[in-house]
C-alpha cells in the first residue's frame, strides 16, 4: 500500500505537461471514436493525453486520469493561459490540433516520440458514397466499415451531408480500404442487362408456362425481370422506394437504416405484334448477375423441351394457322399439354411441353398437315397455259385424268407470273407435276413467215378468220407476231396438231396439191390490170368463179383460192389469158449488190433471154457509185417489153443470172501495177491463166489508180474464192515477200475492236505497208508492201489476233439439250459466271452449238471456260437414257404400280435410282436413268404388271399397294398407358420410328385415339421387312410393360395389371388387316 501511495504521489507531484502539435490526418486517426490508438498509447506509457478541441470538463471525464492529476494539469494549463491574458480557444477543424501529454518526464517523452513516428506515411482519401448505396457500405450497425477498419488498419468516417467517406491511415492501408469500398459501390451499382430470346415462341412459353419461375428468380435475386422489350412486359415485384436511413446519434454507434417500401406488382401488358426479343434484368450489379444466371438456366431448360418443325414455304404458315387461327386452335385442343406457336417470319412451328413424350404426336399431326398441303410451281407461258386449260384437246384430257386420279391436288393458274400453282399431298403433287411438265415439254412451237400482204388476209373474218379456223380444226394455237421482221405466225401445241396446222397455213400461203389454192407469178407492172379500176376486175373475177384473189405485190404474185378446185383453175385461166393480152414495159435494175456484171450480163445474153420468153430485152449501163477509191464501177438496166406473163418469167431469168455474179478487187502498189500493165501492153498477160483455171466465165484485168492500181475480178459467185486465191498466189510468186495472208477467226473479223477497216487503216500507216484488206471468204487479212514492212505487219496482226483469242474461249456443247442447263433457271448460271469471273461475256451460239466466252483478262476467260466445260462433262455423264414400257390393257396395272400416295413408284425409284414417268395418254411408262438403273427398274415394273395381269389388279394391304406387300396391325389399347407406349415407339421428335423404318424397310404408321377407339400401329411392306418391324416394336413394348408393373398374368389367378390392346401377356401381337384383333389377356390362366 505504501508503494502504491508513493507511486501515486510521484505521478501527482512530479507530473509534467508536454504539448505536441500534429496534422489533421493523424489527429483524425488518433481521436476517431472507432480508433483505439489514443487509449493504447495512454495504457502503454502510463500517461494521460488531452487535445485542445475537447471541452475541459468532458476531457477530464473521458481521459480516465486521476482526478488530482487532471485537475492539476488543467489548472496549470488554465493558469498559463490566464497569465498571458488570453482566452483558451480551440483550433479550427482541418488545421490540425495540439495534444497535451501529462505524466512522468521519461514516459511523456517516449509517448511523444511514438506519436511523431506515426506522422510519416499517414494520408486521408475521400470517396463519394451516394445515399442509395450508403447502407451497403456501412452495413448493419456499421459492421462493414468496422470490418474494413480492422482488416486494413485505417480509420473511416462517414459524412452523410457530403455523401462521402474519409479514410485515414498509412497510404497502403488507405488504398486497400478504398479498393474495398469501391468494390462495394460497383457491386451495388444500378444496371440493366438483356438476355436474347431465340424466337417469339420463347416469350409465350415464359409468360404462360414459366411465370412462377420468373417470380422465384426475382425473389431470390431481388432484381426486376422484364420479359420483352423494355416497357412492354413487367413481371414480378418491382422495388419499392427506398426509405430514409435512420440517423444514429453521435457517439451511440447507430448504423444505417434499412431500405423501406413494399414490393408492388408491376402491371402486365400484352405482347406487341411480332413478339419481344429479350429478357431485361434491372437492379444492382450483384443482383443482376445472379438473376441473369438463373434466367439463362431457365432458357436452357425451355430449349430442351422445345421442338421445331420447318414449314418450308411461307404459304404453309397460313395452312397451319388456318383462317383466324382455327387450325392452330384445333392442334392445341388435340394436344392440351403442348404449347404450339407458329412463327411466320422463320417459317417454323415451335412445340413445347413439360412432358417430352407428348411432343411426337403433336409433331406428327403438324407434319401430316404439311404433307397434305405441299406446294409446287410450274413455269408455263401464256400460250401453253391456254393449251392446258383449253375446253377440248390434249390439255383438257390431261386435266380430266389428273382430276380423277388425284382429286386432293388443286391446280391454279397465275396469269401474271405465267405459272401453275399446285397444292396437295406431297407424293400426289410430285406425280401431277411430272405429268404436267411432260405435257409442257412435249409442246412444240414452229414459225411460218408471212409477206406484208398476208398479214391482212390471214386475219380477215374475225372469229371465222383463217388462223381461228385452223386453230379450231387442228387443236394447235396460232398467233401472229407483227413485231418480227418479217411477220411470223407461231404455231404451238402437241407435235401432231402443230404439224397439221403448219401444213394448212403453208398450203394457203404457197399453194396446195389439190388445186384449191394457186399462186401465179405476175409482173408488178401488170398487177393493176388484174385488179382493175378500184378493184372492179378482181371483184368480177371473184364473183364469177366464187373464189378469193389476193395480190402479193412484194412477192410479184397473186393468190387464187376457193373451195372448188375447178373454179380456181377457171379463174387462173382467165387471168392468164388477160395477162397474155396485156403488153407492158418493165425495167429490171441491177443494183449495187450485183455490180459490174458486164462479162456475164452482155447484150447478147440479155437478148437470148428475151427470145426465150417472147419479149423484147435491151441492156443499158448506168452509174451506181464508187466502189474502190476513185475507180467508178457501173451498174446496168434491163428494159423488158411484151405480154405481162412472159415478162415475169424473163425478169426471173435475168435476176438469176445477175445473182450468180461476183466482183472483187486486189490492191496493187504503183510498181506492181506498172509491171503488170507493161507486160500486158507487150502481149504478155500474166493474169490470163487464172481465167482458164477457174470454173465459169471469169475475167481478171488490171486497172490503174492515182496511188497504184487494182486487179478487177469478175466471176460467178461460186468461183470467186478460188479466183482470188489464185490471184494472190500468182502475186506472191511474182513479187516474193511483198504479199502475205494472216488467217483469222470469223469472230475476230466481226469484232470491230479487233480487225475492222479502221484498225487495218491504222496498221497500214504504222507499219508502212501499201495495203491491208479483210477477205471474208478466205477468212484472212491480205497484206501488200515491202518485205520488211510485210514482216512487221504480219507480226502485229498475229499479236492482236492471239491476244484476242486468249480472251475468248469456245466450249462445244453436245446438243441442244445442254443449252437450258448452261443458262440455268431464269439465267442464274450465266449470271453466276459473269459475277464470279470479272464480268465475262457469255453467249450461246446456236449455229456453232457452243458457248462463247469473252473477257478483258485471259485468266477470267480460261476460268469461266473451265467451269462451263466441267458442267458439260458432268451433265453428259449424268445424262439419262430412257426406255418405254407399254401399259398392259384391261388391267389395274397403273394403280398397282403407283401404290398408296405414290409409295409404289417411289420405292422402285429409290431402290434402282431410275425415274419413272407415266404417259397414260400414250399407254406407256417411260423409265429414265443409267443403263443398270433402267434394267433394274424395268424388271420390277414388269413383275408388277405381271402380277396385276394375273390377279386383276389390287395389291397387298388392301389394294393400291405394290405387289407382294402385306399390311399388319397391332393395338396398344387406349388411355394414358397406350399413349406412353406410342411415345416410346415414336421417340423424341419421331427419331425412334424413323430409325425403325430405315432399319427394317417397313412403313410404320401410329394412329391417334381420334382416328380409332384405340392406339394402333400399322405396318406395310414386304413380308420380311414387316416381320423385322413387328419383332423390334414388340420388344420395345415388352420392355416398357415389364418396367411399369405389367406382369402379363404370369401368376395364376393374379392377372397382373388389367390389359388392353392386342397383347398376349407382355407380347404385342400383330394381325392381318381386316382380321379381328386377338383378345387381350384377362385373368392369370389366360395370361
Amino acid at each position: 500500500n505504501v508503494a502504491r501511495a508513493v507511486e501515486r504521489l510521484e505521478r501527482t507531484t512530479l507530473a509534467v505537461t508536454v504539448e505536441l502539435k500534429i496534422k489533421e490526418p493523424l489527429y483524425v486517426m488518433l481521436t476517431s471514436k472507432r480508433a483505439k490508438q489514443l487509449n493504447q498509447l495512454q495504457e502503454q506509457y502510463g500517461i494521460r493525453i488531452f487535445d485542445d478541441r475537447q471541452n475541459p470538463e468532458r476531457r477530464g471525464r473521458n481521459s480516465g486520469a486521476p482526478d488530482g492529476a487532471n485537475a492539476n494539469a488543467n489548472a496549470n494549463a488554465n493558469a498559463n493561459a490566464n497569465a498571458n491574458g488570453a482566452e483558451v480557444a480551440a483550433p479550427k477543424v482541418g488545421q490540425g490540433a495540439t495534444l497535451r501529454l501529462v505524466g512522468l518526464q521519461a514516459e511523456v517523452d517516449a509517448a511523444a516520440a511514438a506519436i511523431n513516428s506515426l506522422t510519416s506515411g499517414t494520408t486521408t482519401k475521400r470517396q463519394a458514397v451516394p445515399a442509395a448505396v450508403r447502407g451497403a457500405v456501412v452495413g448493419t450497425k456499421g459492421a462493414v466499415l468496422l470490418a474494413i477498419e480492422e482488416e486494413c488498419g485505417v480509420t473511416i468516417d462517414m459524412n452523410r451531408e457530403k455523401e462521402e467517406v474519409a479514410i485515414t491511415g498509412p497510404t497502403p492501408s488507405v488504398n486497400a480500404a478504398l479498393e474495398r469500398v469501391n468494390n462495394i459501390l460497383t457491386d451495388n451499382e444500378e444496371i440493366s442487362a438483356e438476355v436474347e430470346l431465340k424466337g417469339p415462341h420463347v416469350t409465350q412459353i415464359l409468360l404462360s408456362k414459366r411465370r412462377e419461375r420468373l417470380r422465384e428468380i426475382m425473389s431470390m435475386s431481388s432484381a426486376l425481370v422484364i420479359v420483352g422489350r423494355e416497357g412492354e412486359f413487367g413481371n414480378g415485384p418491382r422495388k419499392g422506394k427506398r426509405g430514409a436511413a435512420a440517423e444514429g446519434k453521435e457517439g451511440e454507434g447507430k448504423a444505417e437504416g434499412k431500405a423501406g417500401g413494399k414490393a408492388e406488382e408491376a402491371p402486365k401488358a400484352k405482347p406487341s405484334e411480332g413478339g419481344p426479343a429479350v429478357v431485361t434484368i434491372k437492379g444492382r450489379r450483384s443482383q443482376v448477375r445472379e438473376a441473369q444466371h438463373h434466367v439463362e438456366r431457365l432458357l436452357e431448360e425451355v430449349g430442351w423441351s422445345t421442338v421445331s418443325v420447318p414449314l418450308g414455304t411461307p404459304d404453309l404458315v397460313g395452312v397451319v394457322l388456318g383462317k383466324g387461327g382455327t387450325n392452330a386452335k384445333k392442334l392445341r385442343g388435340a394436344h392440351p399439354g403442348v404449347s404450339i406457336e407458329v412463327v411466320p417470319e422463320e417459317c417454323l412451328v415451335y412445340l413445347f411441353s413439360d412432358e417430352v413424350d407428348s411432343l411426337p404426336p403433336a409433331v406428327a399431326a403438324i407434319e401430316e398437315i404439311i404433307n397434305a398441303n405441299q406446294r409446287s410451281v410450274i413455269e408455263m407461258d401464256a400460250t401453253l397455259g391456254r393449251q392446258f386449260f383449253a375446253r377440248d384437246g390434249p390439255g383438257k384430257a390431261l386435266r380430266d385424268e389428273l382430276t380423277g386420279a388425284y382429286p386432293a391436288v388443286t391446280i391454279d393458274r397465275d396469269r401474271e407470273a405465267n405459272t401453275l400453282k399446285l397444292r396437295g399431298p406431297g407424293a400426289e403433287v410430285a406425280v401431277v407435276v411430272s405429268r404436267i411438265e411432260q405435257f409442257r415439254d412435249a409442246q412444240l412451237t414452229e414459225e411460218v413467215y408471212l409477206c406484208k400482204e398476208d398479214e391482212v388476209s390471214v386475219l380477215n373474218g374475225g372469229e371465222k378468220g383463217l388462223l381461228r379456223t385452223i386453230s379450231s380444226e387442228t387443236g394447235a394455237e396460232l398467233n401472229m407476231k407483227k413485231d418480227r421482221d418479217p411477220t411470223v405466225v407461231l404455231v404451238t401445241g402437241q407435235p401432231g396438231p402443230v404439224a397439221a396446222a403448219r401444213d394448212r397455213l403453208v398450203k394457203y400461203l404457197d399453194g396446195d396439191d389439190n388445186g384449191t389454192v394457186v399462186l401465179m407469178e405476175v409482173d408488178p407492172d401488170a398487177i393493176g390490170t388484174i385488179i382493175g379500176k378500184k378493184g372492179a376486175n378482181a371483184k368480177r373475177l371473184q364473183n364469177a368463179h366464187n373464189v378469193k384473189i389476193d395480190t402479193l405485190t412484194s412477192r410479184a404474185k397473186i393468190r387464187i383460192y376457193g373451195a372448188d378446185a375447178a373454179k380456181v383453175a377457171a379463174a387462173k385461166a382467165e387471168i392468164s389469158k388477160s395477162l397474155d393480152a396485156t403488153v407492158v414495159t418493165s425495167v429490171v435494175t441491177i443494183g449495187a449488190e450485183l455490180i459490174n456484171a458486164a462479162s456475164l450480163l452482155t447484150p447478147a445474153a440479155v437478148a437470148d433471154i428475151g427470145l426465150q420468153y417472147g419479149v423484147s430485152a435491151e441492156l443499158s449501163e448506168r452509174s451506181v457509185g464508187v466502189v474502190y477509191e476513185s475507180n467508178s464501177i457501173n451498174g446496168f438496166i434491163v428494159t423488158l417489153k411484151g405480154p405481162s406473163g412472159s415478162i415475169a418469167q424473163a425478169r426471173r431469168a435475168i435476176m438469176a443470172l445477175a445473182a450468180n455474179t461476183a466482183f472483187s478487187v486486189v490492191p496493187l502498189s504503183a510498181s506492181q501495177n506498172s509491171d503488170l500493165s507493161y507486160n500486158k501492153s507487150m502481149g504478155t498477160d500474166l493474169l490470163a491463166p487464172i481465167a482458164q483455171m477457174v470454173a465459169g466465165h471469169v475475167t481478171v484485168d488490171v486497172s490503174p489508180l492515182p496511188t497504184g492500181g487494182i486487179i478487177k475480178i469478175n466471176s460467178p459467185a461460186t468461183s470467186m474464192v478460188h479466183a482470188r486465191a489464185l490471184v494472190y498466189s500468182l502475186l506472191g510468186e511474182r513479187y516474193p515477200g511483198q504479199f502475205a495472208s494472216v488467217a483469222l477467226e470469223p469472230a475476230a473479223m466481226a469484232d470491230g475492236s479487233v480487225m475492222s477497216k479502221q484498225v487495218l487503216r491504222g496498221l497500214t500507216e504504222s507499219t508502212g505497208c501499201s495495203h491491208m484488206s479483210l477477205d471474208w471468204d478466205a477468212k484472212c487479212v491480205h497484206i501488200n508492201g515491202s518485205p520488211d514492212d510485210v514482216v512487221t505487219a504480219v507480226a502485229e496482226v498475229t499479236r492482236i489476233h492471239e491476244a484476242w483469242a486468249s480472251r475468248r474461249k469456245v466450249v462445244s456443247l453436245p446438243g441442244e439439250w445442254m443449252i437450258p442447263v448452261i443458262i440455268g433457271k431464269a439465267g442464274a448460271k450465266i449470271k453466276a459466271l459473269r459475277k464470279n469471273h470479272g464480268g465475262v461475256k457469255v453467249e450461246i451460239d446456236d449455229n456453232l452449238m457452243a458457248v462463247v466466252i469473252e473477257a478483258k483478262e485471259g485468266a477470267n476467260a480460261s476460268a469461266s471456260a473451265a467451269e462451263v466445260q466441267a458442267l458439260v462433262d458432268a451433265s453428259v455423264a449424268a445424262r439419262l437414257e430412257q426406255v418405254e414400257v407399254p401399259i398392259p390393257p384391261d388391267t389395274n396395272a397403273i394403280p398397282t404400280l403407283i401404290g398408296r400416295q405414290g409409295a409404289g413408284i417411289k420405292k422402285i425409284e429409290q431402290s434402282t435410282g431410275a425415274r419413272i414417268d407415266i404417259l397414260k395418254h400414250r399407254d406407256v411408262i417411260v423409265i429414265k436413268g443409267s443403263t443398270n438403273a433402267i434394267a433394274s427398274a424395268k424388271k420390277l415394273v414388269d413383275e408388277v404388271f405381271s402380277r396385276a395381269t394375273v390377279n386383276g389388279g389390287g395389291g397387298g394391304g388392301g389394294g393400291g399397294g405394290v405387289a407382294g406387300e402385306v399390311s399388319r396391325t397391332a393395338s396398344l389399347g387406349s388411355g394414358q398407358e397406350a399413349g406412353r407406349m406410342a411415345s416410346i415407339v415414336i421417340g423424341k421428335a419421331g427419331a425412334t420410328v424413323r430409325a425403325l423404318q430405315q432399319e427394317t424397310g417397313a412403313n410404320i404408321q401410329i394412329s391417334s385415339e381420334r382416328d380409332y377407339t384405340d392406339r394402333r400401329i400399322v405396318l406395310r411392306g414386304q413380308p420380311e421387312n414387316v416381320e423385322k418391324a413387328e419383332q423390334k416394336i414388340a420388344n420395345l413394348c415388352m420392355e416398357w410393360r415389364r418396367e411399369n408393373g405389367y406382369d402379363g398374368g404370369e401368376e395364376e389367378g393374379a392377372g397382373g395389371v388389367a390389359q388392353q390392346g392386342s397383347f398376349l401377356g407382355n407380347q404385342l401381337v400383330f394381325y392381318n388387316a381386316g382380321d379381328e384383333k386377338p383378345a387381350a389377356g384377362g385373368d392369370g390362366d389366360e395370361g
Side-chain angles (χ1 to χ4, degrees):
N1 293 337
V2 170
R4 285 197 298 273
V6 170
E7 181 181 359
R8 185 177 182 88
L9 179 61
E10 287 177 348
R11 287 186 177 278
T12 303
T13 58
L14 300 180
V16 297
T17 300
V18 176
E19 292 186 353
L20 184 64
K21 293 184 177 181
I22 60 174
K23 294 183 179 181
E24 182 71 17
L26 181 57
Y27 176 79
V28 172
M29 183 179 70
L30 292 174
T31 61
S32 172
K33 59 185 178 182
R34 287 183 300 277
K36 302 178 181 179
Q37 283 88 340
L38 278 184
N39 294 335
Q40 290 174 352
L41 286 170
Q42 292 182 118
E43 292 177 0
Q44 181 178 355
Y45 295 103
I47 64 172
R48 298 295 178 259
I49 302 174
F50 307 93
D51 67 85
D52 56 356
R53 292 191 188 177
Q54 292 181 344
N55 184 288
E57 291 83 5
R58 182 183 179 88
R59 182 170 66 244
R61 288 195 302 272
N62 291 342
S63 66
D67 293 341
N70 289 340
N72 186 33
N74 290 334
N76 292 336
N78 293 332
N80 292 333
N82 294 330
N84 295 329
E87 295 182 359
V88 179
K92 296 181 179 179
V93 177
Q95 296 181 355
T98 300
L99 297 181
R100 286 190 294 275
L101 285 66
V102 180
L104 297 179
Q105 185 68 48
E107 295 170 347
V108 168
D109 292 341
I115 293 173
N116 287 329
S117 67
L118 294 175
T119 305
S120 60
T122 302
T123 185
T124 298
K125 291 186 178 181
R126 289 173 171 79
Q127 172 65 46
V129 178
V133 293
R134 186 188 302 157
V137 174
V138 173
T140 304
K141 297 183 178 180
V144 174
L145 284 183
L146 289 174
I148 296 175
E149 287 179 332
E150 183 71 25
E151 294 173 11
C152 298
V154 296
T155 300
I156 303 177
D157 281 336
M158 172 67 69
N159 190 325
R160 294 185 179 87
E161 294 181 356
K162 294 184 178 181
E163 295 188 354
E164 67 178 16
V165 292
I167 307 174
T168 304
T171 302
S173 300
V174 169
N175 292 336
L178 184 61
E179 182 179 359
R180 291 280 300 274
V181 172
N182 284 332
N183 289 339
I184 295 172
L185 294 176
T186 301
D187 288 341
N188 289 272
E189 179 185 1
E190 292 286 343
I191 65 169
S192 66
E194 291 184 349
V195 179
E196 183 180 356
L197 300 181
K198 297 182 178 180
H201 66 285
V202 181
T203 301
Q204 302 301 331
I205 293 171
L206 292 179
L207 293 178
S208 58
K209 303 287 186 179
R210 293 294 182 266
R211 183 180 293 273
E212 291 304 320
R213 282 290 303 278
L214 292 174
R215 296 188 190 283
E216 292 175 6
I217 291 173
M218 287 185 285
S219 176
M220 288 187 295
S221 64
S222 298
L224 175 63
V225 179
I226 304 173
V227 180
R229 299 184 186 91
E230 187 172 354
E232 286 187 358
F233 293 88
N235 294 277
R238 291 192 304 197
K239 292 199 177 293
K241 294 182 179 180
R242 189 174 296 277
E247 297 289 343
K249 294 183 180 179
E250 183 178 357
E252 295 179 358
K254 293 290 186 179
E256 298 287 337
K258 287 188 176 180
K262 187 178 181 181
E264 56 187 42
E265 187 75 12
K268 299 174 181 56
K270 294 183 179 180
S272 61
E273 185 176 355
V278 295
V279 171
T280 304
I281 306 171
K282 295 183 178 182
R284 294 178 180 173
R285 186 179 299 275
S286 58
Q287 298 168 346
V288 170
R289 282 201 297 262
E290 181 182 1
Q292 185 174 356
H293 170 72
H294 290 301
V295 168
E296 289 173 350
R297 288 294 304 274
L298 174 60
L299 294 179
E300 288 180 6
E301 295 173 7
V302 171
W304 296 334
S305 303
T306 303
V307 175
S308 63
V309 180
L311 298 179
T313 62
D315 295 338
L316 288 174
V317 173
V319 173
V320 174
L321 284 173
K323 188 175 182 180
T326 54
N327 288 351
K329 293 176 182 176
K330 290 180 181 177
L331 285 170
R332 295 185 183 106
H335 306 278
V338 180
S339 174
I340 301 175
E341 298 296 336
V342 182
V343 183
E345 298 82 1
E346 301 179 14
C347 285
L348 290 172
V349 179
Y350 289 96
L351 298 92
F352 171 82
S353 177
D354 291 328
E355 297 182 5
V356 179
D357 292 343
S358 62
L359 289 175
V363 171
I366 293 175
E367 289 179 343
E368 183 179 348
I369 294 175
I370 294 172
N371 182 63
N373 291 275
Q374 287 297 302
R375 309 294 180 95
S376 185
V377 177
I378 303 175
E379 294 183 358
M380 184 174 288
D381 60 31
T383 301
L384 294 178
R386 288 193 294 270
Q387 288 281 329
F388 183 73
F389 285 98
R391 296 180 181 178
D392 50 19
K396 183 178 186 303
L398 177 60
R399 287 200 330 274
D400 293 343
E401 176 189 344
L402 295 177
T403 303
Y406 308 102
V409 179
T410 61
I411 305 174
D412 297 320
R413 181 182 180 189
D414 189 336
R415 296 177 183 271
E416 294 183 0
N418 286 332
T419 58
L420 298 183
K421 296 182 178 180
L422 290 77
R423 186 177 76 178
E428 297 185 15
V429 168
V431 175
V432 174
V433 167
S434 175
R435 295 295 308 278
I436 294 178
E437 287 180 343
Q438 293 168 13
F439 170 84
R440 178 195 63 189
D441 298 340
Q443 301 295 300
L444 296 178
T445 298
E446 295 199 7
E447 299 179 348
V448 179
Y449 294 96
L450 305 179
C451 68
K452 186 176 181 180
E453 294 81 9
D454 286 330
E455 294 179 12
V456 178
S457 62
V458 299
L459 291 177
N460 279 342
E463 292 293 331
K464 297 182 179 179
L466 180 64
L467 296 186
R468 298 270 184 171
T469 302
I470 295 176
S471 179
S472 62
E473 292 178 357
T474 62
E477 182 166 338
L478 289 82
N479 295 293
M480 181 185 294
K481 299 295 183 182
K482 291 186 178 182
D483 56 345
R484 300 273 292 274
D485 188 16
T487 302
V488 68
V489 173
L490 300 180
V491 186
T492 306
Q494 297 287 323
V498 167
R502 181 200 58 213
D503 292 344
R504 281 284 309 277
L505 183 58
V506 171
K507 285 180 180 179
Y508 165 76
L509 296 175
D510 297 332
D512 59 8
D513 298 333
N514 58 14
T516 56
V517 180
V518 175
L519 268 69
M520 293 181 61
E521 293 188 10
V522 179
D523 190 273
D525 295 329
I527 288 181
T529 304
I530 299 172
I531 296 175
K533 189 175 182 179
K534 295 184 179 181
N537 194 37
K539 292 178 182 178
R540 182 187 63 79
L541 288 170
Q542 291 181 135
N543 293 332
H545 300 284
N546 195 22
V547 296
K548 295 287 186 181
I549 298 176
D550 296 334
T551 57
L552 311 177
T553 306
S554 61
R555 297 174 64 184
K557 293 181 180 180
I558 63 171
R559 181 189 295 115
I560 310 168
Y561 60 99
D564 190 338
K567 293 181 178 180
V568 171
K572 178 182 177 182
E574 185 173 346
I575 293 174
S576 298
K577 184 177 179 181
S578 174
L579 290 175
D580 291 340
T582 303
V583 177
V584 297
T585 299
S586 183
V587 177
V588 181
T589 302
I590 309 301
E593 72 278 6
L594 301 173
I595 57 176
N596 208 357
S599 59
L600 301 179
L601 284 177
T602 62
V606 171
D608 289 343
I609 292 175
L611 291 174
Q612 180 181 353
Y613 293 103
V615 299
S616 171
E618 296 180 359
L619 180 66
S620 59
E621 186 175 347
R622 74 183 183 92
S623 175
V624 296
V626 176
V627 170
Y628 188 82
E629 293 188 1
S630 60
N631 189 38
S632 180
I633 306 299
N634 295 329
F636 297 88
I637 293 176
V638 178
T639 304
L640 302 174
K641 186 176 181 179
S644 60
S646 300
I647 283 181
Q649 295 174 328
R651 175 193 289 272
R652 186 171 64 253
I654 291 171
M655 294 300 294
L657 179 62
N660 194 31
T661 300
F663 170 77
S664 183
V665 296
V666 176
L668 298 173
S669 65
S671 60
Q672 294 163 354
N673 179 69
S674 299
D675 178 49
L676 294 176
S677 299
Y678 174 77
N679 280 281
K680 184 176 182 180
S681 66
M682 297 302 292
T684 304
D685 189 354
L686 299 177
L687 301 175
I690 295 176
Q692 301 172 4
M693 298 170 65
V694 179
H697 186 66
V698 179
T699 62
V700 183
D701 196 9
V702 179
S703 178
L705 290 176
T707 58
I710 59 172
I711 297 176
K712 297 187 292 184
I713 306 173
N714 291 277
S715 74
T718 54
S719 303
M720 178 54 69
V721 175
H722 188 201
R724 282 176 60 85
L726 291 174
V727 168
Y728 275 104
S729 177
L730 184 147
L731 292 174
E733 295 175 1
R734 181 72 178 176
Y735 310 108
Q738 298 182 29
F739 284 89
S741 299
V742 180
L744 300 176
E745 292 187 35
M749 299 173 68
D751 191 336
S753 63
V754 180
M755 283 295 157
S756 64
K757 289 183 178 180
Q758 185 177 359
V759 173
L760 291 181
R761 190 177 298 114
L763 288 174
T764 302
E765 295 176 357
S766 63
T767 60
C769 290
S770 301
H771 300 282
M772 297 177 70
S773 60
L774 288 173
D775 188 336
W776 285 88
D777 295 321
K779 300 179 180 60
C780 67
V781 172
H782 296 299
I783 304 172
N784 182 4
S786 66
D788 292 339
D789 294 340
V790 168
V791 171
T792 303
V794 168
E796 187 63 18
V797 171
T798 302
R799 183 192 66 79
I800 293 174
H801 185 260
E802 289 179 350
W804 170 85
S806 69
R807 301 190 304 269
R808 183 178 186 272
K809 302 296 180 182
V810 179
V811 181
S812 299
L813 300 180
E816 291 185 2
W817 61 270
M818 190 67 203
I819 293 178
V821 179
I822 296 294
I823 295 174
K825 187 174 182 181
K829 291 185 179 177
I830 286 184
K831 291 177 182 176
L833 282 173
R834 292 171 180 160
K835 180 180 179 181
N836 297 336
H837 300 288
V840 297
K841 181 181 179 182
V842 183
E843 293 182 348
I844 297 178
D845 191 325
D846 295 340
N847 298 323
L848 293 177
M849 193 52 62
V851 178
V852 181
I853 301 171
E854 296 180 1
K856 295 180 179 179
E857 301 292 338
N860 290 337
S862 299
S864 301
E867 186 173 338
V868 173
Q869 186 63 57
L871 179 60
V872 170
D873 295 342
S875 300
V876 170
R879 181 163 170 76
L880 302 179
E881 301 177 6
Q882 68 178 43
V883 299
E884 294 186 355
V885 180
I887 299 174
D890 303 326
T891 68
N892 289 327
I894 293 303
T896 305
L897 178 65
I898 293 175
R900 184 178 180 184
Q901 296 184 344
I905 280 186
K906 187 182 295 183
K907 184 171 183 178
I908 295 176
E909 289 179 335
Q910 291 175 348
S911 63
T912 63
R915 175 182 171 182
I916 302 176
D917 296 326
I918 302 173
L919 306 182
K920 198 168 182 180
H921 63 286
R922 292 176 51 197
D923 292 328
V924 296
I925 291 174
V926 178
I927 306 176
K928 300 178 181 178
S930 63
T931 303
N932 293 336
I934 290 176
S936 301
K938 185 175 183 301
K939 181 179 178 181
L940 294 176
V941 170
D942 289 341
E943 290 177 0
V944 173
F945 283 175
S946 176
R947 292 192 180 99
T949 303
V950 172
N951 300 330
V962 175
E965 284 192 348
V966 299
S967 178
R968 301 271 287 169
T969 304
S971 172
L972 299 176
S974 60
Q976 192 173 17
E977 289 77 11
R980 290 176 180 172
M981 277 189 288
S983 299
I984 293 297
V985 177
I986 294 171
K988 185 176 182 179
T992 303
V993 73
R994 283 196 296 268
L996 287 172
Q997 291 184 125
Q998 292 176 357
E999 185 177 353
T1000 64
N1003 179 270
I1004 304 173
Q1005 299 291 331
I1006 302 175
S1007 71
S1008 62
E1009 293 186 4
R1010 62 183 178 182
D1011 298 324
Y1012 303 96
T1013 57
D1014 55 358
R1015 300 295 294 271
R1016 298 186 183 184
I1017 301 177
V1018 181
L1019 309 180
R1020 292 189 179 90
Q1022 297 298 322
E1024 62 274 13
N1025 296 339
V1026 170
E1027 185 176 354
K1028 292 178 184 177
E1030 284 185 20
Q1031 186 61 41
K1032 289 185 175 296
I1033 293 174
N1035 290 341
L1036 285 174
C1037 293
M1038 180 184 295
E1039 182 178 354
W1040 182 87
R1041 289 171 66 86
R1042 285 177 175 172
E1043 291 177 353
N1044 289 274
Y1046 290 80
D1047 58 13
E1050 294 174 357
E1051 296 183 9
E1052 184 175 355
V1057 178
Q1059 296 196 54
Q1060 300 184 66
S1062 55
F1063 286 94
L1064 293 178
N1066 282 330
Q1067 181 69 39
L1068 180 65
V1069 179
F1070 286 81
Y1071 52 92
N1072 292 327
D1075 295 346
E1076 291 296 329
K1077 68 179 181 181
D1083 56 24
D1085 291 334
E1086 292 174 351

